[in-house]
Amino acid sequence: MTTTLEHSATTTVGDLMSPPELQISDDVMVDTALDILQSSGADHLLVRDEDGRCAGLLNRLHLAPFQTRSWYTERTPVRDVALDRAPFATIGMPAATAAAAMRARSLEAWPVVDHDGHVIGLLSF
């Protein structure tokens, strides 16, 4: 979902988020994550921890060092890869605040979580 950064003062993240896309567990190996990204054509994967809570957002740039497909990629879980981690957006957060936070962190997409930390959406500008 692509939107402009011009929003009214009452527009929230919940108004602009899209449903969560591809999600993987943090114990998935890097080579599998690479395969999922390549076969799906997606730019990122949402990563969940063992409790189903959002652990972060993994993108192609994070996986670039593993493109050579050495034995290391077959034995490295995505939890050990540097990826975009918390804090995450919340559904009631003002859209302008979220946009500013995303610019400051150079994020193209940001997971939206509920009060328990489970992913409920994805915000993209």
Side-chain angles (χ1 to χ4, degrees), residues 71-121:
W71 63 270
Y72 188 69
T73 62
E74 296 174 5
R75 298 179 187 191
T76 304
V78 294
R79 79 170 63 91
D80 294 343
V81 175
L83 52 95
D84 293 325
R85 299 185 190 273
F88 302 118
T90 58
I91 198 166
M93 178 184 283
T97 302
M102 289 175 71
R103 276 192 304 272
R105 295 176 60 194
S106 300
L107 299 175
E108 292 181 14
W110 200 16
V112 181
V113 298
D114 64 13
H115 64 280
D116 290 324
H118 295 95
V119 174
I120 56 173

mmCIF file of all heavy atoms in Angstrom, residues 71-121:
data_model
loop_
_atom_site.group_PDB
_atom_site.id
_atom_site.type_symbol
_atom_site.label_atom_id
_atom_site.label_comp_id
_atom_site.label_asym_id
_atom_site.label_seq_id
_atom_site.Cartn_x
_atom_site.Cartn_y
_atom_site.Cartn_z
ATOM 1 N N TRP A 71 27.602 -23.201 3.535
ATOM 2 C CA TRP A 71 27.080 -24.065 4.589
ATOM 3 C C TRP A 71 26.520 -23.226 5.737
ATOM 4 O O TRP A 71 25.619 -23.643 6.442
ATOM 5 C CB TRP A 71 28.180 -25.006 5.113
ATOM 6 C CG TRP A 71 29.319 -24.258 5.742
ATOM 7 C CD1 TRP A 71 30.446 -23.803 5.126
ATOM 8 C CD2 TRP A 71 29.412 -23.835 7.102
ATOM 9 N NE1 TRP A 71 31.241 -23.125 6.016
ATOM 10 C CE2 TRP A 71 30.627 -23.134 7.254
ATOM 11 C CE3 TRP A 71 28.602 -23.974 8.231
ATOM 12 C CZ2 TRP A 71 31.054 -22.575 8.448
ATOM 13 C CZ3 TRP A 71 29.022 -23.408 9.431
ATOM 14 C CH2 TRP A 71 30.240 -22.731 9.529
ATOM 15 N N TYR A 72 27.044 -22.028 5.880
ATOM 16 C CA TYR A 72 26.624 -21.148 6.964
ATOM 17 C C TYR A 72 25.153 -20.766 6.839
ATOM 18 O O TYR A 72 24.446 -20.650 7.833
ATOM 19 C CB TYR A 72 27.520 -19.898 6.947
ATOM 20 C CG TYR A 72 27.324 -18.979 8.116
ATOM 21 C CD1 TYR A 72 27.718 -19.355 9.396
ATOM 22 C CD2 TYR A 72 26.749 -17.732 7.950
ATOM 23 C CE1 TYR A 72 27.549 -18.503 10.467
ATOM 24 C CE2 TYR A 72 26.577 -16.878 9.014
ATOM 25 C CZ TYR A 72 26.975 -17.274 10.283
ATOM 26 O OH TYR A 72 26.798 -16.438 11.346
ATOM 27 N N THR A 73 24.654 -20.562 5.614
ATOM 28 C CA THR A 73 23.252 -20.172 5.431
ATOM 29 C C THR A 73 22.300 -21.294 5.794
ATOM 30 O O THR A 73 21.161 -21.050 6.159
ATOM 31 C CB THR A 73 22.965 -19.722 3.990
ATOM 32 O OG1 THR A 73 23.200 -20.797 3.104
ATOM 33 C CG2 THR A 73 23.800 -18.534 3.588
ATOM 34 N N GLU A 74 22.760 -22.532 5.693
ATOM 35 C CA GLU A 74 21.912 -23.676 6.032
ATOM 36 C C GLU A 74 21.815 -23.894 7.531
ATOM 37 O O GLU A 74 20.959 -24.651 7.988
ATOM 38 C CB GLU A 74 22.463 -24.941 5.372
ATOM 39 C CG GLU A 74 22.428 -24.888 3.867
ATOM 40 C CD GLU A 74 23.117 -26.080 3.232
ATOM 41 O OE1 GLU A 74 23.540 -26.993 3.968
ATOM 42 O OE2 GLU A 74 23.228 -26.092 2.004
ATOM 43 N N ARG A 75 22.670 -23.242 8.290
ATOM 44 C CA ARG A 75 22.711 -23.463 9.740
ATOM 45 C C ARG A 75 22.464 -22.197 10.548
ATOM 46 O O ARG A 75 22.616 -22.214 11.755
ATOM 47 C CB ARG A 75 24.062 -24.052 10.125
ATOM 48 C CG ARG A 75 24.288 -25.380 9.469
ATOM 49 C CD ARG A 75 25.598 -25.949 9.811
ATOM 50 N NE ARG A 75 25.802 -27.147 9.000
ATOM 51 C CZ ARG A 75 26.759 -28.002 9.198
ATOM 52 N NH1 ARG A 75 27.617 -27.825 10.162
ATOM 53 N NH2 ARG A 75 26.878 -29.048 8.423
ATOM 54 N N THR A 76 22.088 -21.134 9.884
ATOM 55 C CA THR A 76 21.864 -19.867 10.578
ATOM 56 C C THR A 76 20.375 -19.543 10.604
ATOM 57 O O THR A 76 19.774 -19.319 9.554
ATOM 58 C CB THR A 76 22.620 -18.718 9.872
ATOM 59 O OG1 THR A 76 23.999 -19.040 9.797
ATOM 60 C CG2 THR A 76 22.441 -17.414 10.628
ATOM 61 N N PRO A 77 19.774 -19.514 11.794
ATOM 62 C CA PRO A 77 18.364 -19.108 11.869
ATOM 63 C C PRO A 77 18.239 -17.595 11.683
ATOM 64 O O PRO A 77 19.156 -16.840 12.009
ATOM 65 C CB PRO A 77 17.941 -19.530 13.280
ATOM 66 C CG PRO A 77 19.205 -19.609 14.061
ATOM 67 C CD PRO A 77 20.309 -19.910 13.095
ATOM 68 N N VAL A 78 17.097 -17.152 11.168
ATOM 69 C CA VAL A 78 16.917 -15.718 10.922
ATOM 70 C C VAL A 78 16.972 -14.904 12.211
ATOM 71 O O VAL A 78 17.271 -13.719 12.161
ATOM 72 C CB VAL A 78 15.619 -15.415 10.129
ATOM 73 C CG1 VAL A 78 15.699 -15.983 8.744
ATOM 74 C CG2 VAL A 78 14.395 -15.875 10.854
ATOM 75 N N ARG A 79 16.751 -15.521 13.363
ATOM 76 C CA ARG A 79 16.851 -14.775 14.627
ATOM 77 C C ARG A 79 18.268 -14.255 14.855
ATOM 78 O O ARG A 79 18.478 -13.310 15.609
ATOM 79 C CB ARG A 79 16.383 -15.620 15.811
ATOM 80 C CG ARG A 79 17.383 -16.633 16.313
ATOM 81 C CD ARG A 79 16.992 -17.275 17.634
ATOM 82 N NE ARG A 79 15.792 -18.043 17.591
ATOM 83 C CZ ARG A 79 15.720 -19.355 17.332
ATOM 84 N NH1 ARG A 79 16.818 -20.038 17.090
ATOM 85 N NH2 ARG A 79 14.567 -19.972 17.312
ATOM 86 N N ASP A 80 19.269 -14.887 14.185
ATOM 87 C CA ASP A 80 20.661 -14.469 14.343
ATOM 88 C C ASP A 80 21.095 -13.441 13.305
ATOM 89 O O ASP A 80 22.245 -13.013 13.304
ATOM 90 C CB ASP A 80 21.584 -15.690 14.268
ATOM 91 C CG ASP A 80 21.379 -16.640 15.432
ATOM 92 O OD1 ASP A 80 20.789 -16.233 16.455
ATOM 93 O OD2 ASP A 80 21.814 -17.806 15.322
ATOM 94 N N VAL A 81 20.185 -13.044 12.428
ATOM 95 C CA VAL A 81 20.475 -12.047 11.397
ATOM 96 C C VAL A 81 20.064 -10.681 11.924
ATOM 97 O O VAL A 81 19.021 -10.546 12.575
ATOM 98 C CB VAL A 81 19.693 -12.375 10.101
ATOM 99 C CG1 VAL A 81 19.888 -11.283 9.056
ATOM 100 C CG2 VAL A 81 20.103 -13.732 9.565
ATOM 101 N N ALA A 82 20.875 -9.675 11.645
ATOM 102 C CA ALA A 82 20.501 -8.307 12.030
ATOM 103 C C ALA A 82 19.311 -7.898 11.181
ATOM 104 O O ALA A 82 19.380 -7.893 9.954
ATOM 105 C CB ALA A 82 21.667 -7.368 11.805
ATOM 106 N N LEU A 83 18.177 -7.604 11.812
ATOM 107 C CA LEU A 83 16.973 -7.189 11.102
ATOM 108 C C LEU A 83 16.303 -6.058 11.848
ATOM 109 O O LEU A 83 16.709 -5.711 12.948
ATOM 110 C CB LEU A 83 16.025 -8.374 10.892
ATOM 111 C CG LEU A 83 15.641 -9.222 12.103
ATOM 112 C CD1 LEU A 83 14.332 -8.760 12.705
ATOM 113 C CD2 LEU A 83 15.533 -10.663 11.683
ATOM 114 N N ASP A 84 15.302 -5.456 11.225
ATOM 115 C CA ASP A 84 14.588 -4.341 11.848
ATOM 116 C C ASP A 84 13.714 -4.871 12.977
ATOM 117 O O ASP A 84 12.774 -5.614 12.749
ATOM 118 C CB ASP A 84 13.716 -3.612 10.819
ATOM 119 C CG ASP A 84 14.539 -2.910 9.768
ATOM 120 O OD1 ASP A 84 15.619 -2.415 10.123
ATOM 121 O OD2 ASP A 84 14.107 -2.864 8.617
ATOM 122 N N ARG A 85 14.055 -4.514 14.198
ATOM 123 C CA ARG A 85 13.338 -4.982 15.382
ATOM 124 C C ARG A 85 12.544 -3.839 16.010
ATOM 125 O O ARG A 85 12.499 -2.745 15.492
ATOM 126 C CB ARG A 85 14.327 -5.559 16.386
ATOM 127 C CG ARG A 85 15.101 -6.749 15.815
ATOM 128 C CD ARG A 85 15.996 -7.391 16.849
ATOM 129 N NE ARG A 85 16.891 -8.367 16.259
ATOM 130 C CZ ARG A 85 16.609 -9.640 16.053
ATOM 131 N NH1 ARG A 85 15.426 -10.098 16.383
ATOM 132 N NH2 ARG A 85 17.485 -10.449 15.516
ATOM 133 N N ALA A 86 11.924 -4.120 17.145
ATOM 134 C CA ALA A 86 11.076 -3.161 17.847
ATOM 135 C C ALA A 86 11.825 -1.852 18.071
ATOM 136 O O ALA A 86 13.046 -1.850 18.069
ATOM 137 C CB ALA A 86 10.624 -3.760 19.162
ATOM 138 N N PRO A 87 11.131 -0.761 18.278
ATOM 139 C CA PRO A 87 9.692 -0.669 18.496
ATOM 140 C C PRO A 87 8.918 -0.763 17.190
ATOM 141 O O PRO A 87 9.438 -0.468 16.119
ATOM 142 C CB PRO A 87 9.520 0.703 19.126
ATOM 143 C CG PRO A 87 10.648 1.514 18.577
ATOM 144 C CD PRO A 87 11.784 0.545 18.400
ATOM 145 N N PHE A 88 7.661 -1.194 17.316
ATOM 146 C CA PHE A 88 6.786 -1.329 16.164
ATOM 147 C C PHE A 88 5.638 -0.336 16.281
ATOM 148 O O PHE A 88 5.384 0.217 17.342
ATOM 149 C CB PHE A 88 6.234 -2.753 16.080
ATOM 150 C CG PHE A 88 7.310 -3.798 16.000
ATOM 151 C CD1 PHE A 88 7.436 -4.755 16.980
ATOM 152 C CD2 PHE A 88 8.212 -3.805 14.949
ATOM 153 C CE1 PHE A 88 8.431 -5.715 16.917
ATOM 154 C CE2 PHE A 88 9.217 -4.752 14.871
ATOM 155 C CZ PHE A 88 9.328 -5.717 15.857
ATOM 156 N N ALA A 89 4.950 -0.134 15.175
ATOM 157 C CA ALA A 89 3.788 0.751 15.161
ATOM 158 C C ALA A 89 2.612 0.079 15.874
ATOM 159 O O ALA A 89 2.548 -1.144 15.955
ATOM 160 C CB ALA A 89 3.399 1.080 13.722
ATOM 161 N N THR A 90 1.706 0.902 16.372
ATOM 162 C CA THR A 90 0.470 0.406 16.976
ATOM 163 C C THR A 90 -0.711 0.967 16.192
ATOM 164 O O THR A 90 -0.588 1.998 15.518
ATOM 165 C CB THR A 90 0.362 0.809 18.452
ATOM 166 O OG1 THR A 90 0.434 2.232 18.546
ATOM 167 C CG2 THR A 90 1.478 0.176 19.272
ATOM 168 N N ILE A 91 -1.835 0.313 16.302
ATOM 169 C CA ILE A 91 -3.003 0.657 15.494
ATOM 170 C C ILE A 91 -3.514 2.081 15.745
ATOM 171 O O ILE A 91 -3.986 2.748 14.839
ATOM 172 C CB ILE A 91 -4.117 -0.392 15.693
ATOM 173 C CG1 ILE A 91 -5.125 -0.323 14.571
ATOM 174 C CG2 ILE A 91 -4.755 -0.271 17.056
ATOM 175 C CD1 ILE A 91 -6.044 -1.518 14.496
ATOM 176 N N GLY A 92 -3.400 2.571 16.968
ATOM 177 C CA GLY A 92 -3.907 3.905 17.288
ATOM 178 C C GLY A 92 -2.900 5.027 17.119
ATOM 179 O O GLY A 92 -3.222 6.198 17.317
ATOM 180 N N MET A 93 -1.689 4.708 16.714
ATOM 181 C CA MET A 93 -0.642 5.716 16.536
ATOM 182 C C MET A 93 -1.023 6.666 15.396
ATOM 183 O O MET A 93 -1.492 6.222 14.353
ATOM 184 C CB MET A 93 0.677 5.009 16.192
ATOM 185 C CG MET A 93 1.845 5.931 15.937
ATOM 186 S SD MET A 93 3.339 5.003 15.437
ATOM 187 C CE MET A 93 3.854 4.390 17.023
ATOM 188 N N PRO A 94 -0.847 7.974 15.608
ATOM 189 C CA PRO A 94 -1.134 8.916 14.522
ATOM 190 C C PRO A 94 -0.250 8.619 13.305
ATOM 191 O O PRO A 94 0.941 8.319 13.440
ATOM 192 C CB PRO A 94 -0.798 10.279 15.127
ATOM 193 C CG PRO A 94 -0.894 10.074 16.605
ATOM 194 C CD PRO A 94 -0.460 8.661 16.842
ATOM 195 N N ALA A 95 -0.829 8.712 12.126
ATOM 196 C CA ALA A 95 -0.100 8.412 10.894
ATOM 197 C C ALA A 95 1.117 9.320 10.718
ATOM 198 O O ALA A 95 2.164 8.874 10.259
ATOM 199 C CB ALA A 95 -1.032 8.525 9.695
ATOM 200 N N ALA A 96 0.994 10.576 11.108
ATOM 201 C CA ALA A 96 2.112 11.515 10.967
ATOM 202 C C ALA A 96 3.284 11.101 11.854
ATOM 203 O O ALA A 96 4.447 11.194 11.450
ATOM 204 C CB ALA A 96 1.660 12.927 11.309
ATOM 205 N N THR A 97 2.997 10.617 13.044
ATOM 206 C CA THR A 97 4.043 10.141 13.954
ATOM 207 C C THR A 97 4.729 8.909 13.379
ATOM 208 O O THR A 97 5.955 8.788 13.413
ATOM 209 C CB THR A 97 3.441 9.810 15.339
ATOM 210 O OG1 THR A 97 2.808 10.988 15.858
ATOM 211 C CG2 THR A 97 4.494 9.317 16.304
ATOM 212 N N ALA A 98 3.928 8.004 12.834
ATOM 213 C CA ALA A 98 4.480 6.790 12.225
ATOM 214 C C ALA A 98 5.354 7.139 11.021
ATOM 215 O O ALA A 98 6.439 6.579 10.853
ATOM 216 C CB ALA A 98 3.357 5.847 11.821
ATOM 217 N N ALA A 99 4.888 8.058 10.193
ATOM 218 C CA ALA A 99 5.660 8.459 9.013
ATOM 219 C C ALA A 99 6.998 9.063 9.426
ATOM 220 O O ALA A 99 8.035 8.756 8.827
ATOM 221 C CB ALA A 99 4.858 9.441 8.160
ATOM 222 N N ALA A 100 6.986 9.894 10.453
ATOM 223 C CA ALA A 100 8.231 10.506 10.935
ATOM 224 C C ALA A 100 9.184 9.445 11.487
ATOM 225 O O ALA A 100 10.389 9.484 11.225
ATOM 226 C CB ALA A 100 7.918 11.557 12.002
ATOM 227 N N ALA A 101 8.647 8.482 12.229
ATOM 228 C CA ALA A 101 9.479 7.407 12.779
ATOM 229 C C ALA A 101 10.070 6.547 11.662
ATOM 230 O O ALA A 101 11.233 6.141 11.720
ATOM 231 C CB ALA A 101 8.660 6.546 13.730
ATOM 232 N N MET A 102 9.275 6.275 10.644
ATOM 233 C CA MET A 102 9.756 5.475 9.517
ATOM 234 C C MET A 102 10.851 6.214 8.755
ATOM 235 O O MET A 102 11.855 5.603 8.363
ATOM 236 C CB MET A 102 8.600 5.104 8.589
ATOM 237 C CG MET A 102 7.662 4.078 9.195
ATOM 238 S SD MET A 102 6.222 3.731 8.174
ATOM 239 C CE MET A 102 6.974 2.829 6.817
ATOM 240 N N ARG A 103 10.691 7.504 8.551
ATOM 241 C CA ARG A 103 11.737 8.289 7.881
ATOM 242 C C ARG A 103 13.017 8.284 8.706
ATOM 243 O O ARG A 103 14.110 8.093 8.169
ATOM 244 C CB ARG A 103 11.268 9.720 7.649
ATOM 245 C CG ARG A 103 10.444 9.912 6.411
ATOM 246 C CD ARG A 103 10.267 11.394 6.076
ATOM 247 N NE ARG A 103 9.695 12.161 7.171
ATOM 248 C CZ ARG A 103 8.393 12.328 7.387
ATOM 249 N NH1 ARG A 103 7.516 11.774 6.579
ATOM 250 N NH2 ARG A 103 7.966 13.049 8.402
ATOM 251 N N ALA A 104 12.890 8.473 10.009
ATOM 252 C CA ALA A 104 14.061 8.520 10.885
ATOM 253 C C ALA A 104 14.819 7.193 10.889
ATOM 254 O O ALA A 104 16.046 7.177 11.022
ATOM 255 C CB ALA A 104 13.638 8.891 12.307
ATOM 256 N N ARG A 105 14.103 6.090 10.742
ATOM 257 C CA ARG A 105 14.724 4.759 10.750
ATOM 258 C C ARG A 105 14.956 4.211 9.346
ATOM 259 O O ARG A 105 15.396 3.091 9.192
ATOM 260 C CB ARG A 105 13.848 3.787 11.542
ATOM 261 C CG ARG A 105 13.766 4.155 13.029
ATOM 262 C CD ARG A 105 12.842 3.262 13.797
ATOM 263 N NE ARG A 105 13.247 1.867 13.735
ATOM 264 C CZ ARG A 105 12.468 0.853 14.098
ATOM 265 N NH1 ARG A 105 11.256 1.082 14.565
ATOM 266 N NH2 ARG A 105 12.896 -0.388 14.018
ATOM 267 N N SER A 106 14.658 5.006 8.327
ATOM 268 C CA SER A 106 14.814 4.609 6.923
ATOM 269 C C SER A 106 14.067 3.316 6.603
ATOM 270 O O SER A 106 14.592 2.420 5.946
ATOM 271 C CB SER A 106 16.298 4.460 6.557
ATOM 272 O OG SER A 106 16.974 5.671 6.739
ATOM 273 N N LEU A 107 12.819 3.226 7.078
ATOM 274 C CA LEU A 107 11.998 2.039 6.849
ATOM 275 C C LEU A 107 11.032 2.267 5.698
ATOM 276 O O LEU A 107 10.417 3.325 5.597
ATOM 277 C CB LEU A 107 11.187 1.701 8.109
ATOM 278 C CG LEU A 107 11.961 1.378 9.377
ATOM 279 C CD1 LEU A 107 10.992 1.193 10.544
ATOM 280 C CD2 LEU A 107 12.811 0.145 9.183
ATOM 281 N N GLU A 108 10.893 1.255 4.851
ATOM 282 C CA GLU A 108 9.886 1.304 3.799
ATOM 283 C C GLU A 108 8.593 0.641 4.258
ATOM 284 O O GLU A 108 7.526 0.911 3.733
ATOM 285 C CB GLU A 108 10.408 0.610 2.547
ATOM 286 C CG GLU A 108 11.545 1.357 1.897
ATOM 287 C CD GLU A 108 12.041 0.665 0.650
ATOM 288 O OE1 GLU A 108 11.351 -0.236 0.141
ATOM 289 O OE2 GLU A 108 13.126 1.034 0.187
ATOM 290 N N ALA A 109 8.701 -0.255 5.215
ATOM 291 C CA ALA A 109 7.539 -0.946 5.786
ATOM 292 C C ALA A 109 7.783 -1.100 7.279
ATOM 293 O O ALA A 109 8.928 -1.235 7.725
ATOM 294 C CB ALA A 109 7.362 -2.307 5.124
ATOM 295 N N TRP A 110 6.682 -1.101 8.045
ATOM 296 C CA TRP A 110 6.794 -1.180 9.501
ATOM 297 C C TRP A 110 5.672 -2.064 10.022
ATOM 298 O O TRP A 110 4.493 -1.811 9.741
ATOM 299 C CB TRP A 110 6.685 0.215 10.081
ATOM 300 C CG TRP A 110 7.223 0.393 11.457
ATOM 301 C CD1 TRP A 110 8.066 -0.434 12.147
ATOM 302 C CD2 TRP A 110 6.974 1.509 12.323
ATOM 303 N NE1 TRP A 110 8.355 0.098 13.376
ATOM 304 C CE2 TRP A 110 7.700 1.278 13.506
ATOM 305 C CE3 TRP A 110 6.212 2.655 12.212
ATOM 306 C CZ2 TRP A 110 7.684 2.173 14.578
ATOM 307 C CZ3 TRP A 110 6.200 3.537 13.261
ATOM 308 C CH2 TRP A 110 6.925 3.308 14.434
ATOM 309 N N PRO A 111 6.008 -3.106 10.786
ATOM 310 C CA PRO A 111 4.968 -3.964 11.351
ATOM 311 C C PRO A 111 4.073 -3.187 12.328
ATOM 312 O O PRO A 111 4.553 -2.321 13.063
ATOM 313 C CB PRO A 111 5.744 -5.046 12.105
ATOM 314 C CG PRO A 111 7.102 -5.043 11.488
ATOM 315 C CD PRO A 111 7.342 -3.617 11.088
ATOM 316 N N VAL A 112 2.802 -3.513 12.311
ATOM 317 C CA VAL A 112 1.836 -2.953 13.255
ATOM 318 C C VAL A 112 1.446 -4.093 14.187
ATOM 319 O O VAL A 112 1.060 -5.173 13.732
ATOM 320 C CB VAL A 112 0.589 -2.400 12.533
ATOM 321 C CG1 VAL A 112 -0.392 -1.803 13.535
ATOM 322 C CG2 VAL A 112 0.989 -1.383 11.479
ATOM 323 N N VAL A 113 1.561 -3.854 15.502
ATOM 324 C CA VAL A 113 1.299 -4.911 16.478
ATOM 325 C C VAL A 113 0.172 -4.515 17.420
ATOM 326 O O VAL A 113 -0.116 -3.340 17.614
ATOM 327 C CB VAL A 113 2.566 -5.250 17.296
ATOM 328 C CG1 VAL A 113 3.668 -5.783 16.400
ATOM 329 C CG2 VAL A 113 3.065 -4.053 18.078
ATOM 330 N N ASP A 114 -0.463 -5.547 18.010
ATOM 331 C CA ASP A 114 -1.480 -5.299 19.033
ATOM 332 C C ASP A 114 -0.791 -5.131 20.380
ATOM 333 O O ASP A 114 0.437 -5.145 20.475
ATOM 334 C CB ASP A 114 -2.524 -6.416 19.050
ATOM 335 C CG ASP A 114 -1.971 -7.774 19.436
ATOM 336 O OD1 ASP A 114 -0.822 -7.868 19.939
ATOM 337 O OD2 ASP A 114 -2.695 -8.772 19.245
ATOM 338 N N HIS A 115 -1.569 -4.991 21.444
ATOM 339 C CA HIS A 115 -0.994 -4.745 22.772
ATOM 340 C C HIS A 115 -0.189 -5.932 23.307
ATOM 341 O O HIS A 115 0.597 -5.774 24.227
ATOM 342 C CB HIS A 115 -2.092 -4.338 23.763
ATOM 343 C CG HIS A 115 -3.103 -5.405 24.014
ATOM 344 N ND1 HIS A 115 -4.145 -5.645 23.142
ATOM 345 C CD2 HIS A 115 -3.221 -6.309 25.008
ATOM 346 C CE1 HIS A 115 -4.861 -6.652 23.605
ATOM 347 N NE2 HIS A 115 -4.325 -7.075 24.720
ATOM 348 N N ASP A 116 -0.356 -7.116 22.701
ATOM 349 C CA ASP A 116 0.420 -8.291 23.103
ATOM 350 C C ASP A 116 1.649 -8.518 22.230
ATOM 351 O O ASP A 116 2.401 -9.462 22.455
ATOM 352 C CB ASP A 116 -0.455 -9.553 23.052
ATOM 353 C CG ASP A 116 -1.501 -9.565 24.141
ATOM 354 O OD1 ASP A 116 -1.210 -9.087 25.257
ATOM 355 O OD2 ASP A 116 -2.624 -10.047 23.872
ATOM 356 N N GLY A 117 1.836 -7.684 21.210
ATOM 357 C CA GLY A 117 2.999 -7.816 20.339
ATOM 358 C C GLY A 117 2.798 -8.690 19.124
ATOM 359 O O GLY A 117 3.747 -8.987 18.409
ATOM 360 N N HIS A 118 1.550 -9.122 18.867
ATOM 361 C CA HIS A 118 1.255 -9.933 17.682
ATOM 362 C C HIS A 118 1.003 -9.023 16.478
ATOM 363 O O HIS A 118 0.349 -7.989 16.601
ATOM 364 C CB HIS A 118 0.038 -10.827 17.925
ATOM 365 C CG HIS A 118 0.270 -11.850 18.976
ATOM 366 N ND1 HIS A 118 -0.084 -11.657 20.286
ATOM 367 C CD2 HIS A 118 0.853 -13.068 18.911
ATOM 368 C CE1 HIS A 118 0.249 -12.721 20.993
ATOM 369 N NE2 HIS A 118 0.830 -13.598 20.189
ATOM 370 N N VAL A 119 1.496 -9.427 15.327
ATOM 371 C CA VAL A 119 1.338 -8.612 14.111
ATOM 372 C C VAL A 119 -0.130 -8.600 13.678
ATOM 373 O O VAL A 119 -0.759 -9.639 13.573
ATOM 374 C CB VAL A 119 2.199 -9.172 12.959
ATOM 375 C CG1 VAL A 119 1.916 -8.416 11.674
ATOM 376 C CG2 VAL A 119 3.671 -9.096 13.296
ATOM 377 N N ILE A 120 -0.620 -7.398 13.424
ATOM 378 C CA ILE A 120 -1.989 -7.257 12.915
ATOM 379 C C ILE A 120 -2.016 -6.566 11.568
ATOM 380 O O ILE A 120 -3.050 -6.501 10.915
ATOM 381 C CB ILE A 120 -2.904 -6.520 13.920
ATOM 382 C CG1 ILE A 120 -2.332 -5.157 14.279
ATOM 383 C CG2 ILE A 120 -3.115 -7.367 15.159
ATOM 384 C CD1 ILE A 120 -3.245 -4.298 15.131
ATOM 385 N N GLY A 121 -0.876 -6.025 11.144
ATOM 386 C CA GLY A 121 -0.823 -5.337 9.864
ATOM 387 C C GLY A 121 0.572 -4.884 9.526
ATOM 388 O O GLY A 121 1.529 -5.127 10.264
#
